[in-house]
């Protein structure tokens, strides 16, 4: 089950049954997998993306990135993987598709920040 022991106990205290906890846990797993697939599709669809990332070697407000691939894996509520651009790559720890058509990822070492990506500069 996705929820740790304390969370399970708290959810039982408010009246959820074991079956309801299991259904909620399965729902979390499904949503994480759906999010990972949507994020991969975003980067597969867009050969070039723009970000709100601060880059030392760029003077652009929203730097341009040529996408090579995005490879994400999931395990329960965790999403991890690698986002590769033409000249560099970065570890991805989490992400989501936003209502405005942009995506937001938590990027790991070398960036260590939440970063939004969009198919156009205007979208940022």
């Amino acid at each position: 089950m996705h929820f740790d022991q304390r969370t399970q106990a708290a959810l039982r205290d408010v009246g959820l049954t074991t079956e309801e906890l299991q259904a909620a846990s399965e729902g979390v797993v499904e949503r994480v997998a759906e999010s990972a697939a949507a994020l991969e599709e975003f980067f597969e669809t867009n050969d070039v993306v723009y970000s709100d990332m601060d880059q030392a070697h760029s003077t652009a407000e929203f730097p341009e990135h040529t996408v090579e691939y995005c490879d994400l894996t999931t395990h329960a509520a965790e999403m991890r993987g690698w986002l590769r651009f033409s000249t560099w790559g970065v570890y991805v720890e989490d992400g989501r598709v936003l209502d405005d058509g942009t995506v937001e990822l938590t990027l790991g070492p070398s960036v260590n920040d939440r970063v939004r990506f969009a198919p156009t500069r205007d979208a940022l």
Side-chain angles (χ1 to χ4, degrees):
M1 184 175 297
H2 160 70
F3 303 111
D4 64 41
Q5 295 296 329
R6 286 184 291 264
T7 303
Q8 288 180 42
L11 292 171
R12 282 193 185 97
D13 288 347
V14 298
L16 291 180
T17 66
T18 300
E19 293 77 22
E20 290 168 328
L21 285 169
Q22 185 64 36
S25 180
E26 290 169 5
V28 169
V29 170
E30 289 172 14
R31 284 178 178 83
V32 171
E34 290 167 0
S35 291
L39 290 165
E40 286 180 336
E41 181 179 349
F42 174 85
F43 288 103
E44 286 173 10
T45 303
N46 297 290
D47 294 333
V48 173
V49 296
Y50 302 88
S51 75
D52 63 359
M53 183 183 337
D54 288 330
Q55 289 188 307
H57 62 277
S58 175
T59 59
E61 181 180 10
F62 302 117
E64 179 179 294
H65 312 280
T66 302
V67 178
E68 292 292 322
Y69 64 87
C70 179
D71 183 24
L72 302 174
T73 59
T74 64
H75 182 271
E78 294 182 9
M79 177 190 311
R80 294 185 179 154
W82 189 257
L83 176 58
R84 176 73 183 157
F85 298 115
S86 61
T87 59
W88 65 286
V90 65
Y91 179 69
V92 176
E93 296 175 342
D94 188 23
R96 63 189 178 138
V97 177
L98 303 174
D99 292 338
D100 63 3
T102 64
V103 301
E104 184 179 60
L105 302 176
T106 299
L107 303 180
S110 80
V111 177
N112 292 318
D113 202 2
R114 289 287 286 181
V115 177
R116 272 188 23 197
F117 293 91
T120 66
R121 281 191 171 107
D122 292 339
L124 291 171

